[in-house]
Structure formats: C-alpha cells, structure tokens
C-alpha cells in the first residue's frame, strides 16, 4: 500500500484513536481486545481523517483513501 501514490493527499499526522483524530490525519484502525478499529472509521472521517489503514476493505459509504493491509 502506497499512500504517497495518491496525488493531493496532504497527511499531517497519524492517529490510532478516533477520538484524537485531527484534520489531515491518517487513521490506523487497529484490532482491539474488545472491538475492531474499523468500528470507529466513520467517527475518524468525520473528525477529518484523510485516509484509513485497516485489515479489511472499505465498507460501503466510506469515501476517501483506504489502505487494506494484512495485519493492522
């Protein structure tokens, strides 16, 4: 996965907690002990995440850059 290949993507930071996402961040949806980080993608996007990295494909209704990796 190469986020650098997306023209115009201005990444300002990285967050793994959707409550701490700032505009321009990449949200890394980590697997938790009780919940999956993908459950918080909508919140992260609403807070300004410009891209998501997760271990699953993008769900319907989520627009923007999405990087699916084998183990997030």
């Amino acid at each position: 996965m190469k986020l650098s290949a997306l023209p115009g993507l201005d990444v300002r930071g990285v967050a793994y907690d959707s409550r701490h996402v700032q505009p321009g961040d990449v949200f890394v949806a980590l697997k938790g002990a009780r919940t999956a980080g993908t459950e918080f993608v909508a919140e992260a996007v609403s807070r300004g995440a410009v891209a998501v990295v997760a271990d699953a494909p993008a769900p319907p209704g989520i627009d923007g850059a999405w990087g699916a990796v084998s183990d997030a």
Side-chain angles (χ1 to χ4, degrees), residues 7-67:
L9 187 64
D10 185 18
V11 174
R12 300 193 177 260
V14 177
Y16 60 89
D17 186 325
S18 61
R19 297 168 294 185
H20 297 165
V21 170
Q22 298 292 315
D25 283 354
V26 171
F27 176 60
V28 181
L30 299 173
K31 291 181 204 175
R34 289 174 270 189
T35 58
T38 52
E39 293 181 32
F40 304 100
V41 169
E43 179 182 2
V45 170
S46 74
R47 290 179 176 268
V50 295
V52 174
V53 175
D55 65 348
I62 297 294
D63 294 329
W66 187 283

